């Protein structure tokens, strides 16, 4: 019986190797909201850029801890003027998405070009599924 079970396991192995990879639907949704947020930044639309944040989000950057979506928006507001963003065009390089329970942690590099100076840094974003989609509840960017 044991030999039969081992033979069955080997017989199934090639199917598993050639099967299409399982894609986490959350990853596709998170990538989509990240791209939409970047498009908001690039269009100079603060509300569109901030739509990805939960109302109770926290942000940690070079100036310390900021609590709540309105305060986070206020920290970005000065670079949004006249239908553009004075810091340049935003692009993300997605490095890794890790599942932790019902949340996802995105590790990415942010890149700004076309502004007064090119900028780049790392970000770690914790996403939580809310009634209105995947939202950032924690953002640590440097």
């Amino acid at each position: 019986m044991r030999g039969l079970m081992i033979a069955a396991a080997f017989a199934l192995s090639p199917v598993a190797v050639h099967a299409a990879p399982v894609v986490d639907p959350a990853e596709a949704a998170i990538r989509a909201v990240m791209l939409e947020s970047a498009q908001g930044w690039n269009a100079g639309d603060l509300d569109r850029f901030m739509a990805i944040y939960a109302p109770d989000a926290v942000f940690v950057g070079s100036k310390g801890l900021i609590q709540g979506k309105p305060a986070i928006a206020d920290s970005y507001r000065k670079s949004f003027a006249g239908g553009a963003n004075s810091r340049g065009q935003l692009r993300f390089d997605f490095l890794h998405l890790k599942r932790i329970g019902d949340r996802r942690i995105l590790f990415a590099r942010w890149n700004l070009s076309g502004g007064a100076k090119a900028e780049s840094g790392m970000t770690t974003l914790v996403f939580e599924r809310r009634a209105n989609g995947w939202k950032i509840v924690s953002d640590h960017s440097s």
Side-chain angles (χ1 to χ4, degrees):
M1 182 67 174
R2 183 169 182 252
L4 182 59
M5 290 173 60
I6 291 172
F10 281 116
L12 293 176
S13 293
V15 174
V17 170
H18 297 294
V22 176
V23 177
D24 180 3
E27 182 172 355
I30 288 169
R31 284 178 178 265
V33 296
M34 287 291 292
L35 292 173
E36 175 62 23
S37 181
Q39 288 171 354
W41 175 284
N42 296 338
D45 186 338
L46 179 60
D47 291 337
R48 187 174 166 197
F49 169 69
M50 290 297 301
I52 196 170
Y53 285 89
D56 58 338
V58 294
F59 175 87
V60 176
S62 62
K63 296 179 182 171
L65 178 73
I66 301 172
Q67 297 183 13
K69 184 176 178 175
I72 296 168
D74 285 344
S75 74
Y76 282 112
R77 193 169 312 282
K78 65 184 173 207
S79 67
F80 284 83
N85 192 299
S86 63
R87 292 181 62 195
Q89 297 290 295
L90 175 62
R91 177 181 55 83
F92 292 103
D93 296 326
F94 300 100
L95 303 175
H96 182 67
L97 186 72
K98 182 167 183 64
R99 181 181 182 160
I100 303 221
D102 60 348
R103 293 193 172 121
R104 303 296 189 278
I105 300 177
L106 175 65
F107 301 91
R109 173 170 291 284
W110 57 267
N111 303 279
L112 291 172
S113 60
K117 63 178 180 173
E119 299 178 63
S120 181
M122 298 298 294
T123 189
T124 304
L125 305 170
V126 178
F127 283 86
E128 184 176 274
R129 178 84 173 140
R130 299 279 176 102
N132 56 347
W134 286 95
K135 299 294 179 184
I136 295 172
V137 294
S138 178
D139 176 346
H140 184 189
S141 296
S142 59

